Amino acid sequence: MVARAHLTVATGPVARATGLVAAVALTVSAVLALTAPSSGASALSSGPGGVGAKEAAVENASTGVLLWSRELNTERPMGSITKVMTALVVIRAGDLGRKITIPNAAVAYAREHDASSADLRAGDELTARQLLEGLMLPSGCDAAYVLAQAYGPGLSAFIAKMNATAKLMGLTWTHFANFDGLPWPTEHATYSTAANLLMLGRVAMRSAVFRGLVDQRSYRIAAGSGHHAYLWRNTDPLLGTYRGATGIKTGYTLAAGHCLLFEATRNGYSVIGVTLDSPGPGTTVNGADATRILNWAFGLPFT
């Protein structure tokens, strides 16, 4: 991956967009408006202690002021954090009440890749809104497949939409080779940076629909006409354990390591952060690095 020059604070508005995706650019322009750091900013250089992630960053979620970072602009795989863009593209396309039949190919895809899944049943009919729950909470690669196929239409067309949206958002160091963050066609084919993922997270969290998805610890669908029952639990290790945590998304592959895009709010103040390739055993993403970063950030003197 290519290492970029380290930045202290991201500046510069996203270019004005036209056409069907103008709303994306307008949203990004709004969230990129930065305010000057307070007089206590000189104390930020020490940063949080004990963070093991190879790349990490944290910023004021409202203003975009960068509080601390490590390898801010180094391109790395981010695993299922990719699904934040998948969800955002679907949400912006709308028609979330549309019913979609689960194809055999989606179930086979998740099994073939031994991927995290929502355990979807072929032939079940679910709404796009329900499939977004299956995408974001249990990190369902089968749900990602179904949504990409339906909203492309077709997988390749959907991936093209993801990259087009990234370009309009100014995510210049991000590329999507797939819709779920799995290591295909190569381990590093889908990649981003801490700086770009903070921006993506900030834009996504300004969608009421998206925010409503990721701050849930679980979601249940009762069995009904045309579908089985489903119970999905959120993979986010901070929800329910860290006071004020509101999401956002875990990610893991062997190459990416433990990854977490996260946001928390306390006393009316919100911070958003990301950790890429944090240490930890197994495939279940832990929140140790994120907890250290959040504790440090909420301990700063904000004015």
Side-chain angles (χ1 to χ4, degrees):
M1 297 294 100
V2 180
R4 304 288 185 179
H6 182 89
L7 302 178
T8 301
V9 179
T11 61
V14 173
R16 192 184 304 267
T18 59
L20 295 176
V21 286
V24 176
L26 290 174
T27 301
V28 174
S29 295
V31 301
L32 284 177
L34 306 184
T35 61
S38 69
S39 59
S42 60
L44 302 183
S45 58
S46 58
V51 175
K54 292 182 179 177
E55 186 170 353
V58 62
E59 68 183 18
N60 183 315
S62 298
T63 67
V65 170
L66 185 67
L67 304 175
W68 172 83
S69 69
R70 171 185 295 162
E71 297 291 337
L72 184 65
N73 293 297
T74 300
E75 295 167 351
R76 296 181 186 279
M78 65 285 198
S80 287
I81 293 178
T82 296
K83 291 171 181 145
V84 173
M85 180 61 86
T86 305
L88 191 58
V89 170
V90 171
I91 290 168
R92 291 194 174 277
D95 194 17
L96 302 185
R98 66 183 289 191
K99 293 184 177 181
I100 304 171
T101 301
I102 311 304
N104 284 313
V107 177
Y109 170 83
R111 289 176 180 169
E112 176 188 353
H113 290 275
D114 192 24
S116 57
S117 80
D119 294 323
L120 298 178
R121 305 284 194 93
D124 274 9
E125 189 177 65
L126 298 174
T127 67
R129 179 66 169 76
Q130 290 170 328
L131 287 166
L132 283 170
E133 301 278 2
L135 172 77
M136 297 305 293
L137 273 69
S139 198
C141 292
D142 46 0
Y145 185 105
V146 176
L147 289 168
Q149 184 68 48
Y151 276 85
L155 305 181
S156 296
F158 188 85
I159 295 166
K161 289 180 178 180
M162 294 172 72
N163 284 307
T165 303
K167 184 176 181 180
L168 286 170
M169 292 175 66
L171 307 183
T172 55
W173 302 327
T174 297
H175 178 73
F176 299 104
N178 57 52
F179 42 81
D180 52 18
L182 288 175
W184 65 266
T186 70
E187 289 182 332
H188 297 273
T190 294
Y191 58 82
S192 189
T193 68
N196 278 190
L197 290 175
L198 287 181
M199 187 188 302
L200 175 60
R202 287 168 63 202
V203 171
M205 290 295 274
R206 279 160 177 79
S207 160
V209 173
F210 182 90
R211 194 176 187 90
L213 292 169
V214 300
D215 68 357
Q216 301 175 101
R217 295 177 65 182
S218 65
Y219 183 83
R220 183 187 299 274
I221 300 175
S225 176
H227 60 77
H228 293 79
Y230 292 95
L231 173 61
W232 297 317
R233 301 189 187 280
N234 202 321
T235 60
D236 191 323
L238 300 183
L239 288 180
T241 63
Y242 189 88
R243 182 168 60 88
T246 54
I248 301 172
K249 188 69 187 74
T250 57
Y252 175 84
T253 67
L254 190 61
H258 289 221
C259 302
L260 186 60
L261 181 61
F262 54 92
E263 184 175 292
T265 301
R266 288 186 179 179
N267 301 319
Y269 177 75
S270 297
V271 296
I272 184 169
V274 63
T275 52
L276 299 177
D277 201 357
S278 285
T283 62
T284 301
V285 174
N286 70 77
D289 275 345
T291 297
R292 295 183 183 102
I293 292 170
L294 286 170
N295 287 341
W296 173 84
F298 284 125
L300 296 175
F302 296 102
T303 58

